[in-house]
Amino acid sequence: MPRDTLTLEQIVRTAVELLDDEGLEGLNMRSLGKRLGAAATAVYWHVKNKDDLVLLAADRVWREVELPELDAADWRGPATVMADRLHTMLVRHPWLVQAMSSHLLYGTGKARYDDHLLGVFETAGFGAQEADRAAGAVVTYVLGNALGAATTASLSRKLRRAGQDAEGRFEATMAEAAAVAEPFPRLRARLGTAAATGYADAPDGTYRAGLRALLDGLRPGGADTGAGSGAGAGAGAA
């Protein structure tokens, strides 16, 4: 595809697809150009470098999160919906969690989400600092829960590139972990049960129970307003 027929929208959309398949380590201009049917040099006419491409791809996937209506009477409903939809997006694009630890990400897609999440709490009567903390707690919680999927995806790709059987390695690792757990009574009692999940997975219901407990602990006027926190330390800083 010649550079004059290539659009930035095509490039970013294809970059997201490549990132979903190959992760951050698999994204480069040559691979992207091959998917686009264009030379790598054609991509550079639209995007300066890989970092800029990751920034644009991240902003695109943040826009996938649909925002619920604000509801002052039932703020936990919209807060739960926003957490769930963010979690779904992060699991669908596990490279984004990885990118957050290695790239400075920003953009209108993320700003749109952060602003609306702050609105969920402010509409319910949370003060500015309370809303910052509440939004930051929700986003941090969701990111932590999406880490398992990101870790598994990254390790699977690494093992496949090394010519190894990823599923077999995970099974062997779980068997070794079970042997290590044997001397510990509480862990031993859970071996072979639903609580003994796959590599980097949490037991069923962990995400839902934790989110419910987190939201139940938040209320207008209930946040600590002591020193060491400030507006802007919430969702936008996650």
Side-chain angles (χ1 to χ4, degrees), residues 29-30 34 46 51 74 85 92 133 136 144 169 174 176 179 223 226 231 233:
M29 296 306 188
R30 178 177 296 179
K34 185 176 180 180
H46 299 271
D51 286 346
D74 177 27
R85 290 177 180 174
R92 185 165 59 243
R133 294 193 188 100
R169 280 295 303 275
M174 291 301 295
E176 293 171 5

Side-chain angles (χ1 to χ4, degrees), residues 14-230:
T14 305
V16 170
E17 294 170 357
L18 180 56
L19 284 162
D20 289 345
D21 291 341
E22 303 295 336
L24 279 178
E25 60 274 20
L27 177 65
N28 56 67
M29 296 306 188
R30 178 177 296 179
S31 297
L32 181 59
K34 185 176 180 180
R35 286 205 176 204
L36 288 163
T41 52
V43 177
Y44 282 112
W45 279 87
H46 299 271
V47 182
K48 288 190 298 184
N49 51 44
K50 177 178 175 178
D51 286 346
D52 279 357
L53 191 55
V54 171
L55 182 65
L56 291 168
D59 195 55
R60 179 185 176 89
V61 299
W62 271 100
R63 291 179 178 277
E64 294 177 3
V65 182
E66 295 184 14
L67 306 179
E69 294 292 329
L70 301 180
D71 186 346
D74 177 27
W75 61 266
R76 286 182 178 82
T80 299
V81 169
M82 291 199 69
D84 289 348
R85 290 177 180 174
L86 175 58
H87 186 264
T88 298
M89 184 272 282
L90 291 171
V91 171
R92 185 165 59 243
H93 305 293
W95 54 269
L96 183 57
V97 178
Q98 182 184 359
M100 287 180 178
S101 67
S102 57
H103 291 71
L104 295 172
L105 301 180
Y106 62 93
T108 54
K110 184 178 185 300
R112 161 185 167 272
Y113 180 92
D114 290 344
D115 184 79
H116 200 77
L117 186 57
L118 289 170
V120 168
F121 295 108
E122 290 187 350
T123 299
F126 285 67
Q129 288 190 342
E130 292 174 336
D132 283 350
R133 294 193 188 100
V138 169
V139 171
T140 301
Y141 176 78
V142 174
L143 285 173
N145 275 269
L147 183 60
T151 299
T152 300
S154 180
L155 285 173
S156 295
R157 287 191 299 267
K158 180 179 179 180
L159 292 170
R160 285 198 302 269
R161 288 194 180 100
Q164 300 183 42
D165 174 16
E167 185 175 347
R169 280 295 303 275
F170 285 139
E171 290 178 356
T173 298
M174 291 301 295
E176 293 171 5
V180 170
E182 278 289 346
F184 302 93
R186 296 172 186 83
L187 296 179
R188 184 172 62 247
R190 287 163 172 77
L191 294 176
T193 68
T197 56
Y199 186 82
D201 289 341
D204 289 344
T206 297
Y207 166 79
R208 182 62 54 195
L211 180 60
R212 183 169 58 249
L214 171 62
L215 295 179
D216 284 349
L218 299 174
R219 61 190 183 280
D224 175 17
T225 56
S229 65

Side-chain angles (χ1 to χ4, degrees), residues 2-24:
R3 68 167 183 260
D4 57 351
T5 61
L6 207 58
T7 67
L8 183 59
E9 167 64 22
Q10 290 172 312
I11 291 171
V12 176
R13 183 179 65 247
T14 305
V16 170
E17 294 170 357
L18 180 56
L19 284 162
D20 289 345
D21 291 341
E22 303 295 336
L24 279 178

